[in-house]
Amino acid sequence: MTVSVAIVDDHAMVREGMGALLASHKDIEVVAEFTSGAEMLAAAPTILTDIVLMDISMAGLNGLDTARKLSTETPHLKIIMVSMHATADYAIQSLHTGASGYLLKKSASEEIGKAIDTVMHGQVYIDSNLSRRALENYMQHLKPGDLPQNMLTTRQREILQLMAEGQSTKEIARTLQLSPKTVETHRALLMDRLNIHDIAGLVRYAIRFGLITAER
């Protein structure tokens, strides 16, 4: 039985590499590629795919928020987050969105087939390079209220990401089709909620929880 896969990543070279890798598996077929979370969400209701392989850190709409919306709007799609971050917090963040797997990009060539097979059988797949003990320890000490999805609204997370990516209030307003005053209100509320009142602190928070990467 052939498993259909959609790839979501804002880097062409990554999509090409992932596609070439999957082509070596005779029982896996890449049926679509998307350059952003927004593109994936728009196509989700009609796309015929079993698995979505999605990067975490994408400009505009990050993979975590995309996965969260996909899990709600199209729960039949199984999501495997693909990331460069070998840390427990990113993996836990991914599972909290409704994703069924977490795979490191450096491990993809060895583990992607196993990851897809595991998820297709209704199980959760965690990259073998991540310590199960570290994940369990992280979950024990993580307070649900500390997670961005529980502290901030979807709009506030969007604005936080764009702020961390360096956009001004006017640029964010244009991107989200809001008034600058509305953006300023959301910005003030999210800063108060996080108790972070400087851009550098917001950037560190956004990196920690996978809204952006250090490169951005």
Side-chain angles (χ1 to χ4, degrees):
M1 182 177 177
T2 301
V3 177
S4 57
V5 175
I7 301 171
V8 188
D9 197 294
D10 56 359
H11 292 93
M13 290 183 64
V14 174
R15 295 195 304 274
E16 292 171 5
M18 195 71 69
L21 179 60
L22 292 171
S24 65
H25 295 263
K26 62 181 180 180
D27 56 345
I28 298 175
E29 179 186 9
V30 177
V31 296
E33 295 183 12
F34 301 99
T35 64
S36 68
E39 284 185 5
M40 178 69 241
L41 287 172
T46 57
I47 188 174
L48 299 176
T49 189
D50 301 305
I51 297 281
V52 178
L53 295 175
M54 184 154 50
D55 187 23
I56 283 185
S57 301
M58 295 185 290
L61 182 64
N62 65 79
L64 293 174
D65 278 329
T66 302
R68 191 173 294 109
K69 291 181 180 180
L70 284 176
S71 297
T72 301
E73 298 171 7
T74 51
H76 63 282
L77 294 180
K78 297 183 182 298
I79 305 168
I80 298 176
M81 303 303 293
V82 185
S83 173
M84 67 177 69
H85 303 287
T87 54
D89 52 353
Y90 279 82
I92 298 302
Q93 280 282 297
S94 297
L95 299 182
H96 271 284
T97 68
S100 298
Y102 187 84
L103 181 67
L104 296 176
K105 289 183 178 181
K106 68 177 183 180
S107 306
S109 59
E110 294 83 20
E111 299 190 27
I112 197 166
K114 183 178 179 181
I116 289 174
D117 183 65
T118 299
V119 168
M120 285 299 295
H121 281 84
Q123 300 174 351
V124 171
Y125 186 84
I126 299 294
D127 193 287
S128 64
N129 287 286
L130 288 176
S131 166
R132 292 276 178 174
R133 180 173 295 180
L135 287 171
E136 292 170 358
N137 182 65
Y138 185 85
M139 291 184 70
Q140 288 175 358
H141 293 86
L142 180 69
K143 298 176 182 178
D146 292 338
L147 298 173
Q149 65 264 31
N150 294 330
M151 296 187 69
L152 304 176
T153 66
T154 299
R155 180 65 78 193
Q156 288 169 353
R157 289 196 304 272
E158 291 174 340
I159 290 174
L160 171 59
Q161 178 180 345
L162 295 174
M163 288 174 63
E165 289 176 356
Q167 289 197 23
S168 67
T169 297
K170 290 184 179 180
E171 289 171 333
I172 294 172
R174 285 196 296 269
T175 298
L176 299 179
Q177 297 183 330
L178 300 172
S179 70
K181 185 176 181 180
T182 298
V183 172
E184 289 176 354
T185 299
H186 281 300
R187 182 177 65 181
L189 289 172
L190 74 87
M191 283 181 161
D192 285 341
R193 187 71 59 83
L194 298 177
N195 195 27
I196 301 174
H197 300 281
D198 61 280
I199 296 298
L202 291 174
V203 170
R204 288 193 295 270
Y205 181 90
I207 292 173
R208 177 188 174 193
F209 287 105
L211 302 180
I212 64 169
T213 63
E215 290 90 3
R216 296 187 190 282

